[in-house]
């Protein structure tokens, strides 16, 4: 023992002696229930030292006594520049302890050999490490064994170990001490297991006084130490893992992390202290020979130490979790900046961009080809326009169905004479699950992902796990992805042609290629507010109605009685006026009314009230196109009072919010868009405007009576409609004017639950 050790111990022996005496009564009272009546006998036992009260504190929240202990420990700590690779040594030690602490009825398992290749690998990697630390391990093993037999208390022995290992880092001290224990403990159990089969083992066991015949004592010791040894290994593994964290992200400059990491010496102290207790018990058994021993006090001490180490391990495990979260946050932040920088750089093709977004890592085939269901490399997208369909796993079946229909028609229209499609772009579904941990531990989400991608004819990312957290954050920040599907268009060089082309796809289909802003503006210059625009590409039946001789009513709502009154009265006016009137029910925008609208649509068809779509996807598409027109106009800065398309769309969406509504056209020309009061207009036909039909015409007579008479009685409802924040809006206008009174509309924020299993559980709207 060095002079320095004598100095420290002499200075503090009185302090710790008084400390242990003072804390003994406190421990007994705190552990009264655990001792279950044994505390009175334990108090009379003089053979072992009591654990300080600090051992009962949760985690590593240090008491004043432990703060003093920390200072003493740190005085012994003067690591040099050596870095011992302890990970391999720890694996070897854990293997020894795992085999030496098996239950007595599984003792044969201790004789199982290591796999040959693993054993060779371990030997080659361990030799250089063991050459440099074997002396330290032997010295610590001898020090603990000798002092435990000469009556030194556990604290004195523990501090002596710190002195001997002063030049090692904290994780090195701990692994070397655990290795010293493995030497002692492994030898003990090796002799126990082999004494009956090997004469050398039998002679050595006799010489060392190992009580190989006393199975009761051996089993008691084994079971008594197993819990403590398990906690010792767990704490050691955590300390080693903490030591391996990258210095780049874990620094003492962070006060919170510094405070957490500063408690590691206490964890090391209590683990070494527990090792000392284990060796002391083994030595006590061999010192007593084959005599029976009362291990009640020893069992109580090991139980208390195991409880202390469990608290420490829980604290360290939480510390690791916080550190990894901090590291992940820092790495994600760096990767996010790099991704932004990558998109701001010019490239010769799109491969760097796609690789950064769909991170393959060691995944050489991160895509699945929807047509062949084979795994393919990102190279299939090289120098192509790529449409990234980004969504979570709650994407609507209606939305996928319509998108697939547009995609399939586009491919068939572009078939060459070679029978192959010559589409100028490729689609890739990018599934987002955030947080990813939900996907990894949820078989139902994994099945949902497989079910969604199974019918997709385009490319799909092979797993949501290939989309890293920083890539998701990038999509949220730069492309405004908020769970609802968006369609980001990347040109052959990886430049962003459109942050969301779904608007254009729903309105014009693939005619919108290459989906740029310039193309969008060009397409709008060709459009006017006509029935062709409202229903184009949805239903050939309605489209075939559009000729100058036909009058057409599109109507919607969720009141079946109103629908019956309106349709019957409207058809009566047309019959009496000798005009050809066609009518079509288009449902309602709010998807939470899906089931109700389905029943109404069935009733409309069953009662022959009018034409109505049997497929719910067509109703969804009708309203999705109208919303897309609105959002497209907003993104182009056309949300003004002089844009007739914008005004017409606002009317339909607003009147739908109020209840029943109708759009009347003569051929493609829209005559009026009005709310539910139109039902009164057609109902009073015979008493009022019938007489004006011969002179004014059917639509003019209806229009004049509706605006000059009916609306004077009912009043004009001002506009009211929603922008879904997590929908495809792109941006929400700062202000809008009412299409009727032209005054600025007020903006409200609301939260609405959609009550539809196929939609998100929560939605957030801006109401105007």
């Amino acid at each position: 023992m060095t002079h320095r050790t004598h100095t420290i111990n002499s200075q503090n022996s009185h302090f710790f002696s008084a400390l242990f005496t003072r804390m003994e009564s406190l421990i007994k009272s705190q552990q009264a229930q655990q001792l279950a009546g044994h505390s009175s006998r334990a108090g009379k036992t003089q053979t072992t030292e009591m654990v300080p009260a600090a051992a009962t504190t949760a985690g590593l929240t240090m008491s004043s006594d432990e703060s003093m202990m920390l200072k003493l420990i740190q005085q012994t700590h003067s690591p040099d520049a050596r870095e011992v690779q302890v990970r391999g040594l720890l694996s070897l030690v854990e293997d020894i302890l795992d085999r030496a602490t098996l239950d007595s009825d599984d003792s044969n398992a201790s004789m199982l050999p290591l796999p040959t290749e693993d054993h060779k690998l371990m030997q080659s990697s361990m030799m250089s490490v063991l050459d440099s630390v074997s002396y330290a391990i032997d010295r610590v093993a001898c020090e603990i064994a000798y002092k435990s037999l000469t009556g030194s208390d556990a604290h004195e022995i523990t501090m002596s170990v710190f002195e001997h290992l002063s030049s090692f880092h904290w994780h090195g001290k701990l692994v070397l001490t655990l290795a010293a224990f493995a030497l002692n403990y492994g030898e003990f159990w090796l002799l126990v297991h082999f004494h009956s089969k090997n004469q050398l083992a039998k002679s050595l066991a006799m010489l060392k006084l190992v009580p190989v015949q006393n199975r009761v004592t051996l089993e008691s010791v084994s079971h008594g130490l197993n819990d403590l040894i398990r906690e010792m290994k767990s704490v050691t593994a955590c300390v080693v893992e903490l030591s391996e964290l990258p210095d780049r992200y874990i620094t003492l400059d962070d006060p919170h992390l510094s405070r957490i990491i500063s408690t590691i010496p206490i964890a090391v102290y209590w683990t070494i202290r527990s090792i000392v207790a284990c060796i002391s018990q083994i030595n006590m058994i061999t010192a007593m020979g084959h005599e029976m021993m009362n291990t009640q006090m020893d069992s109580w001490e090991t139980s208390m130490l195991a409880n202390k180490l469990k608290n420490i391990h829980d604290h360290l495990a939480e510390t690791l979790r916080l550190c990894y979260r901090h590291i992940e946050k820092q790495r994600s932040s760096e990767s996010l900046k790099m991704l932004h920088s990558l998109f701001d750089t010019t490239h010769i093709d799109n491969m760097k961009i796609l690789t950064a977004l769909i991170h393959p890592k060691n995944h050489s085939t991160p895509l699945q080809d929807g047509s062949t269901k084979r795994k393919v490399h990102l190279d299939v997208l090289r120098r192509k326009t790529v449409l990234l369909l980004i969504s979570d796993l709650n994407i609507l079946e209606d939305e996928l169905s319509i998108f697939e229909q547009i995609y399939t028609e586009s491919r068939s229209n572009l078939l060459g004479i070679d029978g192959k499609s010559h589409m100028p772009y490729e689609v890739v579904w990018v599934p987002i699950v955030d947080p990813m941990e939900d996907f990894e531990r949820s078989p139902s989400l994994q099945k949902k992902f497989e079910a969604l991608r199974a019918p997709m004819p385009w490319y799909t990312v092979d797993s949501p796990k290939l989309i890293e957290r920083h890539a998701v954050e990038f999509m949220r920040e730069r492309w405004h992805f908020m769970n609802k599907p968006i369609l980001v268009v990347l040109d052959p060089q990886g430049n962003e042609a459109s942050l969301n082309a779904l608007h254009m796809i729903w309105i014009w289909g693939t005619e919108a290629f290459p989906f740029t802003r310039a193309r969008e503006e060009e397409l709008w210059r060709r459009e006017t507010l006509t029935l062709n625009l409202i229903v184009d590409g949805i239903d050939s039946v309605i489209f075939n109605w559009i000729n100058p001789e036909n009058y057409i009513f599109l109507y919607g709502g969720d009141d079946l009685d109103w629908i019956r009154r309106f349709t019957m009265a409207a058809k009566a006016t047309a019959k009496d006026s000798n005009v050809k009137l066609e009518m079509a029910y288009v449902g309602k925008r709010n998807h939470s009314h899906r089931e109700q609208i389905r029943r109404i649509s069935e009733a409309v068809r069953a009662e022959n009230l009018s034409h109505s779509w049997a497929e719910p996807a067509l109703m969804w598409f009708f309203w999705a196109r109208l919303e897309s027109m609105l959002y497209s106009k907003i993104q182009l800065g056309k949300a003004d009072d002089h844009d007739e398309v914008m005004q017409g769309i606002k009317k339909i969406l607003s009147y739908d919010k109020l209840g029943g509504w109708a759009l009347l056209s003569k051929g493609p020309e829209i005559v009026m868009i009005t709310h539910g009061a139109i039902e009164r207009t057609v109902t009073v036909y015979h008493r009022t405007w019938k007489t004006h039909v011969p002179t004014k015409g059917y639509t003019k007579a209806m229009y004049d009576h509706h605006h000059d008479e009916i609306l004077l009685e009912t009043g004009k409802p001002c506009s009211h409609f929603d922008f879904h924040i997590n929908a495809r809006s792109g941006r929400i206008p700062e202000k809008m004017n009412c299409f009727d009174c032209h005054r600025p509309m007020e903006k409200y924020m609301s939260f609405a639950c959609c009550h539809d299993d196929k939609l998100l559980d929560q939605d957030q709207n801006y109401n105007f």
Side-chain angles (χ1 to χ4, degrees), residues 559-572:
D559 185 341
L560 184 56
D561 290 335
W562 179 89
I563 291 171
R564 289 186 177 115
R565 294 194 304 270
F566 168 64
T567 54
M568 293 174 67
K571 286 189 285 188

Side-chain angles (χ1 to χ4, degrees), residues 398 557-560 563 585-607 612-620 623 756 758:
D398 293 343
D558 56 3
D559 185 341
L560 184 56
I563 291 171
Y585 174 65
V586 296
K588 194 171 181 63
R589 177 191 184 197
N590 193 334
H591 301 301
S592 64
H593 295 190
R594 180 188 180 94
E595 183 58 28
Q596 180 185 6
I597 299 303
R598 185 189 63 79
R599 291 196 298 267
I600 291 175
S601 181
E602 288 178 352
V604 168
R605 294 194 303 276
E607 298 175 25
S612 179
W613 295 312
E615 299 178 36
L618 293 179
M619 285 191 181
W620 174 90
W623 292 103
D756 192 329
K758 296 185 178 180

Side-chain angles (χ1 to χ4, degrees), residues 318 386 482 544 702:
E318 176 65 14
V386 178
M482 298 182 73
N544 291 334
M702 183 189 300

Side-chain angles (χ1 to χ4, degrees), residues 191-469:
L191 294 177
V192 169
H193 292 317
F194 281 91
H195 79 279
S196 61
K197 303 171 185 178
N198 185 283
Q199 183 58 43
L200 177 60
K202 182 176 181 180
S203 300
L204 280 174
M206 186 177 299
L207 185 63
K208 285 181 168 288
L209 298 178
V210 176
V212 292
Q213 303 299 328
N214 195 334
R215 305 302 296 178
V216 175
T217 299
L218 291 174
E219 290 180 15
S220 175
V221 171
S222 177
H223 294 157
L225 294 183
N226 274 350
D227 289 343
L228 181 55
I229 291 172
R230 183 175 61 252
E231 297 301 336
M232 285 157 41
K233 291 188 298 180
S234 297
V235 171
T236 304
C238 281
V239 171
V240 170
E241 193 171 351
L242 280 166
S243 73
E244 294 172 340
L245 296 177
D247 295 338
R248 178 180 177 183
Y249 303 108
I250 304 297
T251 67
L252 298 182
D253 296 337
D254 187 319
H256 180 62
L257 291 177
S258 176
R259 190 164 54 253
I260 291 174
I261 294 173
S262 67
T263 58
I264 289 178
I266 290 296
V268 175
Y269 172 87
W270 282 109
T271 309
I272 294 178
R273 174 76 172 271
S274 300
I275 292 171
V276 170
C278 289
I279 293 177
S280 296
Q281 285 214 22
I282 297 298
N283 288 341
M284 189 175 298
I285 294 171
T286 57
M288 294 184 67
H290 297 274
E291 298 178 9
M292 291 292 293
M293 56 175 287
N294 182 1
T295 60
Q296 174 191 325
M297 190 62 205
D298 305 83
S299 298
W300 182 84
E301 182 187 19
T302 56
S303 175
M304 292 298 298
L305 286 169
N307 183 63
K308 173 68 178 178
L309 289 190
K310 184 180 185 306
N311 289 335
I312 291 174
H313 171 258
D314 291 345
H315 171 85
L316 292 178
E318 176 65 14
T319 298
L320 276 170
R321 189 187 68 81
L322 293 174
C323 287
Y324 281 128
R325 189 169 68 180
H326 175 78
I327 292 170
E328 175 64 23
K329 185 177 180 181
Q330 295 299 314
R331 285 176 173 168
S332 182
S333 178
E334 290 178 356
S335 299
L336 184 59
K337 290 178 182 177
M338 291 177 61
L339 200 49
H340 277 287
S341 176
L342 196 61
F343 269 85
D344 295 332
T345 305
T346 303
H347 305 280
I348 60 173
D349 62 25
N350 54 8
M351 292 313 296
K352 284 187 177 179
I353 293 292
L354 293 174
T355 302
L357 289 172
I358 307 170
H359 202 312
K361 294 183 179 176
N362 297 325
H363 204 304
S364 59
T365 54
L367 301 179
Q368 176 177 284
D369 186 332
S371 59
T372 64
K373 305 307 177 186
R374 293 178 180 175
K375 304 295 188 296
V376 295
H377 194 270
L378 284 174
D379 275 334
V380 297
L381 305 176
R382 187 184 295 274
R383 293 192 180 92
K384 292 185 179 180
T385 296
V386 178
L387 278 57
L388 300 176
L389 178 61
I390 305 170
S391 77
D392 64 8
L393 301 186
N394 292 298
I395 186 170
L396 292 173
E397 290 180 10
D398 293 343
E399 193 157 11
L400 279 177
S401 172
I402 296 298
F403 189 82
E404 181 179 349
Q405 182 179 329
I406 294 172
Y407 176 86
T408 304
E409 288 178 358
S410 176
R411 290 189 73 88
S412 62
N413 292 337
L414 292 170
L415 281 177
I417 58 175
D418 56 359
K420 296 181 180 179
S421 176
H422 296 274
M423 284 184 67
Y425 61 85
E426 296 289 352
V427 176
V428 179
W429 180 42
V430 182
I432 303 298
V433 179
D434 189 20
M436 181 50 60
E437 292 76 14
D438 290 352
F439 182 78
E440 292 173 341
R441 59 174 172 252
S442 173
S444 62
L445 280 181
Q446 295 166 22
K447 290 179 180 177
K448 188 173 186 179
F449 163 71
E450 293 296 341
L452 280 171
R453 80 164 176 171
M456 292 182 179
W458 47 80
Y459 292 109
T460 62
V461 174
D462 195 43
S463 170
K465 292 187 286 187
L466 294 179
I467 311 301
E468 295 188 329
R469 190 180 303 275

Side-chain angles (χ1 to χ4, degrees), residues 7-52:
T7 303
I8 292 174
N9 288 334
S10 62
Q11 287 176 345
N12 296 286
S13 59
H14 295 298
F15 166 76
F16 279 102
S17 180
L19 171 65
F20 298 151
T21 302
R22 176 163 55 89
M23 296 302 176
E24 182 175 359
S25 59
L26 178 59
I27 294 174
K28 290 177 184 177
S29 62
Q30 289 177 334
Q31 302 298 328
Q33 293 181 347
Q34 182 177 339
L35 291 175
H38 297 290
S39 55
S40 60
R41 290 192 300 275
K44 296 176 184 178
T45 305
Q46 310 264 334
T47 56
T48 58
E49 171 204 5
M50 303 298 292
V51 180

Side-chain angles (χ1 to χ4, degrees), residues 617-637:
L618 293 179
M619 285 191 181
W620 174 90
F621 189 34
F622 174 83
W623 292 103
R625 287 187 77 251
L626 290 181
E627 290 178 353
S628 295
M629 294 177 197
L630 179 71
Y631 296 143
S632 175
K633 288 283 187 178
I634 291 172
Q635 289 189 135
L636 293 175

